[in-house]
Structure formats: structure tokens, C-alpha cells
Amino acid sequence: MSLLEATLSGERLALSRLLTEVENDTPAGKQALDELYPYTGHAHLIGVTGAPGSGKSTLVNQLVRQFRQPQGDEMPSQVAVVAVDPSSPFSGGAVLGDRVRMRDVAGDEGVFIRSMAARGAAGGLARSTDAIVQVLDAAGFARILIETVGAGQSEVDVARLAHTVVVVEAPGTGDDIQAIKAGILEIADILVINKADRPEVENTEYVLRAMLQRAGNHKQQTLLPEDRPQRSKETPSAPWEIPVLRTVAAEGQGVSALAQTILEHAAYLKRHSLWQQREMERIRRRLDELACSELISRWRSTLPQERYQSVVEKLAQRQLSPSAAVGELLATPTIETD
Amino acid sequence: MERKIRVLIAKPGLDGHDRGAKVVARALRDAGMEVIYTGLRQTPEMIAEAALQEDVDVVGLSILSGAHMSLVPRVMELLHANRQEGVLVFVGGIIPQSDVETLLKLGVHAVYGPGTPTARVISDIRQALGLPVT
């Protein structure tokens, strides 16, 4: 049985090994991704982001527990966590510490936690996080929580990946100028003030609510595609009002309300066919990215190497500007392959 | 690019001294490895489960409580049960010499006492995984 077949039949070690292949972008990993694609597209992807120390991991731990509570007679669905931590820019190594806060769910067969190093990618996720999530989706995890690095202001990649984005703030961080900056707060579908037993919670909530009011309290439900910078046409008749919730994750307070709100957001997206729309955006972007890297590598392989080198030299000596260099290279007759 | 070495650093049992574990975690990070650190008071079951989900190449156990003769065999047993017998296991902490032999016979790759240079841990790991030792 191949790794993929074993993964699809629910073998956890096979899943784990497949995740490694995919993370390392090996030929076996790539082939498995191609083959499992038909099985993807079922999971609810939930992004959890926020500044370091705001309590993301603790909150994720509590959310997993909540999602694993039996609902009536129904078996709770399987939950996966992908937790991304930064890589050292010097050694390339990493200490991945998110599991420290996720010990409560150890021993539950319906939960799978995978730590990932960002491996140099900016934006809060690793380059292969998207692919890792696809494997878990195909393996039958109905809810996948994606915890970002936690660097702060511009971790917006998760908004391009997840259906529902939870932004976690802690009291006493940032003022109202932070709140009107573009970026992380803008991508929230749900805002959480964690550590809400801290004294400055009133002020933090006031600032966040004021910010939401100015923004008209609803998020642009599809992100602007980088290549087509026009505003999205879609405005649903009933816009999603971004809730501001308080939690004390270390004690489990407010977590069931948060879990409920996450499920409501998924239902909202489906009701207004926004789920589909986000999916399409994501697929399109992925396709473009793949096509770009493929085109570039093909183009590079047909370009005479010495020609490329000479243009790089001219660039270094400032005889040519970068955009002129691109023009010149593209005008170069390429080597005939085949 | 060389495949990243993934290491789980865990503290089974009840002692609360994680300084050594953190020093090793950091040293392995600086040697370019990806280290999953799980924190204090882990059961052997939690450690084996984490090793499985993270598909690690190496498990490092730090034990200062004296309970190594019950904790380490249990971890080895669970790794085998999960078909992860290929994972390299090392133990760090206060381990009497008489127990070291027994642990090595169980399949533990190495036992490191106080004062072990971290460079030795790193070169042992690289060597055991068949990678060039710098």
C-alpha cells in the first residue's frame, strides 16, 4: 500500500510521513498531492493569528477540546492543527513550541497536531502550509486550525488560505493608531480579546469596537487579488458583523461561545455562497502561482546561460535598470529545446 | 538542500528542571535542526504520540527525577508499537553508570550526563543519520 492509500485509510503514521514528504516538496510528495486533490475541499479551514504572547496556542488547544465535544448522538468530527513557528534566519533551524500549550488534547485519536517551521517565508505561514492543509483535508479532518507564526502586523497570508480568520488580541497592546493600520485587524472575521481578566480589557474592547465602527463593521469578504486591483463586486445583503469576543483561554472561559461563532461564520459563508467564492479565489491564485514558477523555470532553462550572466553583470554595474534587464532578456532568442 | 532533521525534545515524568532540555533544544536549533519542544511533565504516551504526529527523526528525553528505568523503556515500547523503531532516541540527565548499559541495550542511542558538550550531541545525531559531521 502506498503512503497515500494508507493515509486515506486513516493510518496516522502514513499521514505523518506523507506530511513530511509534502513539506519537503519531494517528488513523492508532489505526486501524492496530485493524486489526493480529488479528495480535498471538504474541510473548514480556520486561521488563528495575532501577536506573540496573545495566547493563540492556548486558545487553539481550547478550541480543539470544544470541537471534540460530542454533539448529541453525533460523533464529533476530526480536528487537525497546523502550528507554524519561525525559523532562524541564521541557522535555518527552529524551536517549535506550540505543543507545550496543546497538551490537553493528547491521547485523542480524533486530533492530529503538526508543527511547522516557516522556513524563511514571510507572511506568517510556511510555503508548504497550503499543501499540508490539503493532505489533512483529504485525510478526513473536517476542521483544520491553522496557527500562524505570530510576528504581528502583516500576517495576511492566512486570510488567503482560511475560510474563517480569528484574530487574537491581548489587553494593553497597541493603541487606536495600531487599530487603524491596514493588515492584521483588517483580515479578521472574528476578533478575540484573550486574557480578558486583565485590567485594560475595557479599553482594548472600546478601541477595537471603535475601529470596527469606522470600518462599517464588515470585512471585505474576498481579498483583492494582487493582479486585479479592483474592489470586489460582491456585497451580500446581510453583511457579516465582526464580533468582538472575550476569552480567558487558560481557564477555558468564553471558548464555547467562540467555537459557536466560528461555526456560525462557516454557515454564513455557505448561505451567501461566499464559501464558494473564497474557494475560487484560492484556486485561481494557486494556479497562477504554480504557472508562474513553472513558466519561469522553463524560460530559464531555454535562456543561454552566458546571456543571463552578462545581463546580471550589467545590472550590478548599474549599466542597466532591473526592468530594462527583464526587457532585454525577454527579447533574447531562446535555445530551441526538443 | 539537505532535508531538515526533526527532533522532539521531551521531559517525561515529574521533575520540573527543564534548563538542560532547553539548552539542548537551542543548540540543535543553532545546528539547523527543527526542534519540537513539548514542555514539562509528559507521559510516555504523550511523547510517543507527538513523535508520531511530528514524524521526527530523533527523540531526546531529559530526565532528572531518577525514574528513567521506568519511563525510558515505556517510551521505547510505544515507539516500537507505533512502528517508529527507526527513530533515534537519546537520554540526557542524571543517569547512574550502572543504568546506562541497560538503557543502551534497550536501543537507546546515547546517554548524556552533565557537562556533555552540545557539539557532541549534534555530531552524534548527524553521524547516526548518515549526514556529514562538520
Side-chain angles (χ1 to χ4, degrees):
Chain A
M1 193 160 43
S2 72
L3 265 190
L4 177 60
E5 286 164 342
T7 299
L8 295 178
S9 73
E11 258 191 58
R12 292 157 69 83
L13 182 61
L15 167 62
S16 189
R17 292 195 170 149
L18 183 56
L19 291 175
T20 306
E21 297 290 337
V22 168
E23 184 179 20
N24 291 334
D25 201 23
T26 62
K30 280 185 191 158
Q31 194 193 338
L33 271 183
D34 284 346
E35 288 169 17
L36 63 75
Y37 190 69
Y39 301 95
T40 60
H42 303 291
H44 179 199
L45 312 182
I46 304 152
V48 179
T49 186
S54 54
K56 294 182 297 295
S57 302
T58 313
L59 203 59
V60 165
N61 173 51
Q62 293 284 354
L63 280 171
V64 174
R65 282 179 68 176
Q66 201 59 234
F67 286 140
R68 291 291 297 158
Q69 301 280 334
Q71 305 291 323
D73 295 338
E74 249 179 89
M75 283 278 285
S77 40
Q78 296 195 87
V79 183
V81 177
V82 180
V84 189
D85 266 334
S87 292
S88 158
F90 301 108
S91 71
V95 172
L96 313 174
D98 291 322
R99 289 188 89 96
V100 175
R101 320 255 176 248
M102 298 184 191
R103 50 193 306 147
D104 291 342
V105 291
D108 181 343
E109 287 267 314
V111 178
F112 197 100
I113 302 169
R114 182 67 174 225
S115 313
M116 289 186 88
R119 296 190 181 173
L125 301 178
R127 214 162 283 116
S128 58
T129 302
D130 189 352
I132 290 288
V133 165
Q134 283 185 37
V135 177
L136 292 164
D137 182 354
F141 292 88
R143 301 207 171 93
I144 302 175
L145 290 141
I146 303 144
E147 182 185 332
T148 71
V149 164
Q153 296 187 323
S154 58
E155 296 192 356
V156 293
D157 279 2
V158 70
R160 306 195 184 278
L161 176 59
H163 298 108
T164 303
V165 177
V166 178
V167 173
V168 186
E169 289 275 317
T173 54
D175 55 14
D176 50 348
I177 294 301
Q178 303 295 346
I180 58 172
K181 284 188 190 169
I184 193 153
L185 284 172
E186 235 183 345
I187 63 170
D189 296 300
I190 299 167
L191 273 170
V192 172
I193 307 170
N194 190 34
K195 308 189 184 185
D197 50 353
R198 291 230 180 135
E200 286 178 74
V201 62
E202 297 297 337
N203 188 42
T204 302
E205 180 165 344
Y206 171 78
V207 168
L208 289 177
R209 287 196 187 280
M211 181 270 302
L212 288 176
Q213 223 159 31
R214 275 194 297 269
N217 193 12
H218 70 276
K219 171 181 146 188
Q220 197 74 23
Q221 286 296 319
T222 45
L223 291 171
L224 295 183
E226 297 93 313
D227 52 342
R228 286 179 290 126
Q230 83 235 354
R231 289 192 84 76
S232 162
K233 297 174 282 296
E234 151 292 306
T235 12
S237 46
W240 171 257
E241 299 257 319
I242 299 166
V244 180
L245 303 176
R246 292 186 185 189
T247 58
V248 184
E251 284 156 31
Q253 283 174 38
V255 179
S256 76
L258 172 58
Q260 197 51 46
T261 310
I262 289 172
L263 299 186
E264 277 164 22
H265 184 253
Y268 164 84
L269 289 180
K270 285 181 176 156
R271 212 165 41 239
H272 296 277
S273 32
L274 291 167
W275 184 281
Q276 188 69 16
Q277 210 169 315
R278 281 189 179 197
E279 198 74 9
M280 292 304 283
E281 274 302 324
R282 189 154 79 95
I283 288 168
R284 219 176 284 147
R285 196 167 39 244
R286 184 98 188 112
L287 183 65
D288 287 358
E289 279 169 12
L290 282 175
C292 269
S293 67
E294 180 66 28
L295 280 173
I296 285 186
S297 72
R298 276 196 203 177
W299 172 66
R300 285 288 302 273
S301 71
T302 57
L303 199 65
Q305 188 54 36
E306 56 281 17
R307 181 84 190 115
Y308 187 77
Q309 263 318 321
S310 84
V311 169
V312 171
E313 301 275 312
K314 278 194 214 160
L315 268 175
Q317 287 158 13
R318 302 295 188 273
Q319 292 169 355
L320 211 56
S321 77
S323 66
V326 172
E328 198 167 320
L329 281 179
L330 285 174
T332 305
T334 54
I335 306 165
E336 285 300 321
T337 48
D338 300 329
Chain B
M1 200 183 69
E2 184 178 296
R3 178 184 189 275
K4 288 274 177 227
I5 302 172
R6 283 170 73 88
V7 186
L8 180 75
I9 296 288
K11 273 204 64 70
L14 295 177
D15 76 88
H17 306 281
D18 57 356
R19 180 91 179 250
K22 284 178 177 158
V23 167
V24 171
R26 169 126 199 221
L28 299 183
R29 180 201 82 182
D30 290 342
M33 303 182 197
E34 292 181 351
V35 182
I36 295 115
Y37 183 69
T38 58
L40 294 171
R41 288 182 277 279
Q42 301 275 304
T43 63
E45 284 74 13
M46 289 160 93
I47 292 167
E49 180 68 14
L52 179 126
Q53 293 179 1
E54 302 288 356
D55 189 26
V56 291
D57 308 290
V58 182
V59 173
L61 301 171
S62 162
I63 310 176
L64 293 147
S65 64
H68 49 271
M69 291 314 285
S70 48
L71 293 168
V72 178
R74 182 73 184 133
V75 171
M76 299 302 285
E77 198 179 300
L78 290 166
L79 287 175
H80 278 138
N82 287 343
R83 293 190 292 128
Q84 281 196 296
E85 56 280 330
V87 171
L88 192 76
V89 178
F90 69 85
V91 176
I94 313 286
I95 313 287
Q97 193 52 43
S98 54
D99 291 342
V100 170
E101 292 301 316
T102 323
L103 292 178
L104 295 179
K105 269 192 204 119
L106 277 173
V108 171
H109 185 73
V111 177
Y112 301 117
T116 307
T118 51
R120 194 179 135 210
V121 182
I122 293 161
S123 62
D124 283 1
I125 291 175
R126 293 188 62 90
Q127 193 165 21
L129 297 178
L131 295 165
V133 178
T134 43

